[in-house]
Amino acid sequence: MRSINLGPFKVSAISLGCMNLSHAYGKPPSAQQGERVLLAALDAGVTLFDTAALYGFGANETLVGRVLKAHRSRFTLASKGGMGGVAGDDGVVRRVIDGRPEAIRRNCEDSLRRLQTDVIDLYYLHRWDKKVPVEESVGALARLVEQGKVRTIGLSEVSAATIRKAHAVHPVTAVQTEYSLWTRNPEIAVLDACEELGATFVAFSPVARGFLCDALHDVTTLDAKDIRRAMPRFEPAHYARNLALLPGYKALAQEAGCTPAQLALAWLLHKRPFILPIPGTTSVDHLHEDLAAADVRLAPDLLQRLEAHINQDTVSGHRYSAQARTEVDTEDYPDQAG
């Protein structure tokens, strides 16, 4: 697979988001299946693995550390802090955003231990804690670099203005945000900011949380703990309208000679040379399907028709609930701001 620059690293142009192996979409696969996917990705040439303290409240980092420790020299390791799980008085672990420097230091130490490594190559602020100036949180990340615990730093789900504030404190190697045909918010300002500052843009949920794989037709079958149940686009009324986009989308994939998932990934690779998709999967077969998208070539006319078919104006529903939107700093299109 061809590679792209990620700060001082060269990584596979399609890499692996590890979240699905422990978190978010209902009951995760077994540890044995997670191990199979991780090792298959490594064998297939994936050289960036992306995890976070939040995923499975540490379980994902533990899995990645256990499985990939022996191969540490073969890949670039990314993780995230500033958001994780905290047990309440009732014993229930809940997600907490905490960007205080002392919290970030503690998060990093915990991640290093779970990942069984001396250094994290790319360490993100998972969410900007709006109670803490971003300069303070990034200052804590910079000190981790000085201490040799982290090689480079990144930000997740932030605006162009916040990226520039952070970059003034310490160079930002990567910005990670949801980006796909049906979530185009980075096109407002963040992609331009990344290009200006020389940061790689890492696109998570590049296949629209399964929608662009043509893999989910009945949202009522989603697991009770699947995070998509709280996302407006997956509410039955919105999703019914979104499903109407799939026949035309699949026809474009057929014209391009690829699968629907490959079309979504190939579109991202055609957008700008510094965009790095990190699809996640629990299936080795789907992993190989995703990675093959690096070889798909799309004609300019097909790209234009594809973007006209699925975009912020044709998709029904916001990507996040009203509560979740308060936790991110990304720009919105005017009709999505409410």
Side-chain angles (χ1 to χ4, degrees), residues 188-204:
I188 299 171
V190 165
L191 290 178
D192 287 342
C194 287
E195 185 167 28
E196 172 193 328
L197 300 174
T200 301
F201 181 89
V202 178
F204 76 77

Side-chain angles (χ1 to χ4, degrees), residues 12 25 34 120 171 186 202 224 264 337:
S12 48
Y25 298 123
I120 297 169
V202 178

